[in-house]
């Protein structure tokens, strides 16, 4: 499977979760963020892809969902996919908040964000958190490599690792590694 196939699977899964949201103000495992804020964060990240790829202006902070959050999120996914599918992007160098990397890294960033925040949305809405086991395992390995045993910065996007429940799915283990505690169980 190609990185764009992984992007498509992850995006489709999250879009399915977003399409089923009935309580946009439900709390999530992301401290201080309700479901709408998590989805908005994903849409904002999708908007940033063009800037990081060097094909668009910086994406402003703020509301990226408007009055039609599901349609707006779907449009943001489509726009991000168009940028990620550009010929030559995978091998060209791009600048991200994590430094200068091959363009294919942008795809991995989006997939990881979709899996992690898909878990947040699923957990907050009572949906199954058993999301994309192969991509969740891949993301967990990438985050373990990036963080290792280093302490997490207070107030940062990820808390200290918590214990995953017995029999945890790959996505549940990923969430636990990133300091997520389920809010719906």
């Amino acid at each position: 499977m190609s990185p764009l196939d992984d992007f498509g699977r992850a995006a489709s899964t999250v879009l399915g979760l977003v399409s089923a949201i009935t309580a946009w103000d439900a709390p999530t495992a992301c401290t201080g963020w309700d479901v709408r804020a998590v989805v908005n964060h994903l849409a904002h990240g999708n908007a940033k892809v063009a800037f990081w790829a060097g094909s668009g202006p910086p994406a402003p902070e703020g509301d990226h969902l408007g009055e039609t959050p599901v349609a707006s999120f779907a449009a943001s996914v489509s726009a991000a996919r168009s940028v990620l599918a550009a010929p030559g992007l995978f091998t060209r160098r791009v600048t991200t908040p994590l430094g200068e990397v091959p363009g294919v890294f942008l795809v991995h960033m989006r997939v990881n964000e979709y899996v992690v925040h898909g878990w947040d949305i699923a957990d907050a809405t009572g949906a199954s958190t058993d999301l994309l086991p192969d991509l969740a395992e891949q993301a967990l390995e990438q985050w373990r490599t990036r963080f290792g045993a280093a302490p997490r910065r207070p107030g940062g996007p990820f808390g200290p690792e918590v214990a995953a429940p017995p029999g945890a799915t790959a996505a549940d283990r990923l969430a636990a590694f990133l300091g997520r505690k389920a809010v719906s169980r």
Side-chain angles (χ1 to χ4, degrees), residues 53-146:
S55 61
E61 297 291 329
D63 182 17
H64 290 264
L65 300 178
E67 296 296 318
T68 57
V70 175
S72 295
F73 179 70
S76 79
V77 168
S78 180
R81 188 183 195 304
S82 292
V83 171
L84 296 173
L89 175 68
F90 285 14
T91 56
R92 156 167 85 71
R93 304 292 288 178
V94 299
T95 302
T96 73
L98 302 175
E100 190 173 298
V101 294
V104 72
F105 188 77
L106 293 175
V107 179
H108 299 302
M109 284 175 60
R110 296 316 307 145
V111 170
N112 287 352
E113 284 275 305
Y114 288 156
V115 174
V116 171
H117 290 304
W119 183 94
D120 294 326
I121 296 164
D123 173 62
T125 61
S128 172
T129 57
D130 189 7
L131 306 174
L132 305 159
D134 59 325
L135 296 181
E137 285 289 354
Q138 189 177 322
L140 179 56
E141 285 188 33
Q142 289 171 358
W143 283 111
R144 280 190 174 139
T145 298
R146 180 162 179 236

Side-chain angles (χ1 to χ4, degrees), residues 35 133 145 167 185:
V35 170
T145 298
R185 297 178 218 172

Side-chain angles (χ1 to χ4, degrees), residues 146-160:
R146 180 162 179 236
F147 282 138
R152 314 276 168 83
R153 188 173 35 115
F158 307 112

